[in-house]
Amino acid sequence: MIKKIFLIFWCAMGSIMGYSQDADKINTSPKLVVGIVVDQMRYDYLTRFYNRFENDGFKRMIREGYNCKNTHFDYVPTYTGPGHASIFTGTTPQNHGIISNNWYDKFSKESVYCASDSSVKAVGSDSELERMSPHRMKTTTVADQNRLHTQLRGKTIGIAIKDRGAILPAGHSANGAYWFRGKDEGKWITSTYYRNELPNWVKKFNDSDQAESYLKVWGTLHDTKTYVESGPDQNVFEGGYKGKEEVTFPYDLKKLKDQNMGYDIIKASAYGNSLTADFAIAAIDGEQLGADDVTDFLTVSFSSTDYVGHNFGVNSKEIQDTYLRLDADLARFFNALDAKVGKGKYTVFLTADHGAVHVPSYLQSVKIPAGYFDRDVFATKVNNYVKEEFKVEGLIENISNNQLFFDYTKLKKNNIAKKDLQEALAHFILQEDQVDKVFTRDQLEKGEYTRGIASLIQKGYNQKRSGDIVVVMDPATISYSKTGSTHGSGLMYDTHAPLLFFGQGIEKGSTTVETKITDIAPTIAALLGIAFPNGATGDVLPFVLK
């Protein structure tokens, strides 16, 4: 009896202290880690469309894995480049340096793109617009750390319709990153940062004309009338495609192709996600991912959800059909992983790079505060004010991404203190309609905010790359067209993202405890028993791991 009590006590203590019967196994090493990002996926798409999903896509992840229901981006701005970088580096733009998709470089005096790199060339395309690499990202990703940990034996492949969605998650040391060149080409390409020639499996995929097969009619997966989770098919809040007068199903993509930048129309339809899934499945075989006991990484970003959301809005039947079709593509992808890598031998996480706001004109129609902000009018007002107040032209060098950049050469030449210009502008801008808050460089550099929008702005603020004034708009106020949705704010519709884990080493369950996007990379690193990304600021989520 005493022995039995002792054994029960010892087992309980072992559970509490983290001991297991397999005492010398201190990490879980799946054959493959798959990081999935769904571009512009609001958390409530999971709940809104849940009853319409089949069993083997989103529902499988929830059923077999762990659902973090209260996951948020802990910085501003909520854009695609920063989102993908933050998910995989485990830190925010304050550290990884990807402060937007495009930003003003105060040293070169030009706008730069988060993945552009003039030192490389495209591979698979002759376009000068496809010269891309991760060189602007300052810190490592969890995939980089896996490469270092395995002495480069573990592979990393990044895949997305968008170049930045493929490049930033895969990190600096990836074996390859592939994105889709639309226009008149319709091919998957890469750059000389990774290799000088497309591998045979990519050439074979491109030669198969799989992209061509999606130039077909996009109709709803189910009867349109049953899509009661979304607004009416015909309304005034959607953009649509050039060449089709009514913004209603069906859409003949082949017929509309020439008026909508060729193969780019596939990107902007539900079929872009299907093409991405096709290519990701081909990559598993082509790169022999998960074929041995050394952990590989596959990062997959489904970009078309973002294109459709921007065009049609978050309440459209088009966005609903896109998610129902994505659900089917995920099921197909997971089945391929089961067959090629082995069920229970891989680990998957799925999240988003940002959410999206309801179309403000729609919100206004139902009496919810919302609006549109005219950047050009704002810039004119600001420049006129500065000229009148300080009697000097050109003190504001650039206005972009809701930030103002000062010309420090002119400040010095005219003996104007940076502090004086900051304070005067902050006071002036705050008087503007639709402006909710204003922060100065001095506030963000000298203070420390722990909660609220100020904290989010500070974590998205990079001392070297960000501007001198940051402007915050009113809720649901955007600089965008009157149709379609966008994103970028620190409000819940943009920050609340899904976060699902399933597969080897993952518990079953759910939580409403607040978690952060930056927690994902440290959690996966802990699962693998590898070093965290070198700039990581997120926390491990212990309840997710077995």
Side-chain angles (χ1 to χ4, degrees), residues 206-217:
N206 285 337
D207 291 343
S208 72
D209 293 326
Q210 188 72 357
E212 185 84 27
S213 72
Y214 289 113
L215 290 172
K216 60 182 180 179
V217 174

Side-chain angles (χ1 to χ4, degrees), residues 393-405:
E393 282 196 63
L395 290 179
I396 308 300
E397 192 169 86
N398 179 268
I399 301 177
S400 57
N401 289 318
N402 296 328
Q403 297 184 22
L404 281 68
F405 294 79

Side-chain angles (χ1 to χ4, degrees), residues 153-440:
R153 288 176 296 157
K155 276 190 171 183
T156 297
I157 299 294
I159 290 168
I161 289 280
K162 293 181 181 179
D163 47 52
R164 58 188 180 273
I167 291 167
L168 298 175
H172 300 276
S173 60
N175 301 84
Y178 301 95
W179 57 96
F180 186 69
R181 170 71 181 172
K183 305 297 186 287
D184 59 349
E185 297 182 53
K187 304 292 185 183
W188 290 87
I189 67 171
T190 188
S191 81
T192 53
Y193 179 86
Y194 304 99
R195 57 191 306 136
N196 293 319
E197 186 179 0
L198 289 177
N200 288 332
W201 70 268
V202 177
K203 291 179 182 178
K204 183 179 177 182
F205 188 94
N206 285 337
D207 291 343
S208 72
D209 293 326
Q210 188 72 357
E212 185 84 27
S213 72
Y214 289 113
L215 290 172
K216 60 182 180 179
V217 174
W218 176 21
T220 50
L221 193 61
H222 307 290
D223 186 341
T224 311
K225 293 177 183 176
T226 68
Y227 285 18
V228 295
E229 297 82 7
S230 302
D233 193 21
Q234 187 164 19
N235 61 74
V236 298
F237 310 115
E238 302 173 358
Y241 301 114
K242 292 179 181 177
K244 189 174 190 298
E245 198 168 311
E246 288 191 346
V247 189
T248 56
F249 280 108
Y251 300 97
D252 189 335
L253 303 187
K254 188 171 186 179
K255 182 178 178 182
L256 297 169
K257 171 189 171 188
D258 292 341
Q259 296 179 68
N260 293 272
M261 297 191 293
Y263 284 95
D264 278 2
I265 198 169
I266 298 173
K267 297 181 182 182
S269 77
Y271 296 138
N273 293 329
S274 301
L275 180 62
T276 302
D278 295 340
F279 191 73
I281 291 169
I284 298 170
D285 284 333
E287 297 288 345
Q288 289 293 289
L289 299 176
D292 57 28
D293 291 332
V294 180
T295 301
D296 296 324
F297 254 87
L298 175 61
T299 72
V300 183
S301 182
F302 290 101
S303 310
S304 294
T305 41
D306 184 68
Y307 289 113
V308 174
H310 276 296
N311 191 352
F312 298 97
V314 305
N315 201 43
S316 64
K317 292 199 185 313
E318 287 81 1
I319 203 71
Q320 176 164 357
D321 193 70
T322 297
Y323 275 90
L324 297 187
R325 289 181 180 275
L326 174 60
D327 180 60
D329 288 326
L330 287 173
R332 185 162 59 89
F333 182 48
F334 296 153
N335 288 338
L337 288 170
D338 288 344
K340 297 173 186 296
V341 181
K343 192 171 184 179
K345 294 181 179 180
Y346 60 88
T347 304
V348 180
F349 69 81
L350 181 149
T351 188
D353 57 346
H354 52 73
V357 66
H358 269 282
V359 180
S361 56
Y362 167 69
L363 292 177
Q364 290 171 336
S365 75
V366 294
K367 301 181 180 179
I368 292 176
Y372 294 90
F373 187 78
D374 192 319
R375 290 174 180 164
D376 292 336
V377 170
F378 173 73
T380 300
K381 284 184 178 181
V382 166
N383 284 313
N384 287 342
Y385 166 76
V386 171
K387 180 182 175 182
E388 182 179 334
E389 185 73 12
F390 291 90
K391 312 304 180 188
V392 179
E393 282 196 63
L395 290 179
I396 308 300
E397 192 169 86
N398 179 268
I399 301 177
S400 57
N401 289 318
N402 296 328
Q403 297 184 22
L404 281 68
F405 294 79
F406 296 171
D407 186 328
Y408 281 84
T409 302
K410 287 191 176 180
L411 284 174
K412 184 177 181 180
K413 182 179 178 181
N414 291 279
N415 199 29
I416 298 171
K418 174 190 72 170
K419 182 174 181 291
D420 292 341
L421 183 57
Q422 282 184 39
E423 291 179 355
L425 273 171
H427 178 75
F428 173 76
I429 293 170
L430 198 56
Q431 313 312 308
E432 284 294 298
D433 290 340
Q434 300 180 303
V435 171
D436 187 45
K437 296 176 179 67
V438 181
F439 295 90
T440 67

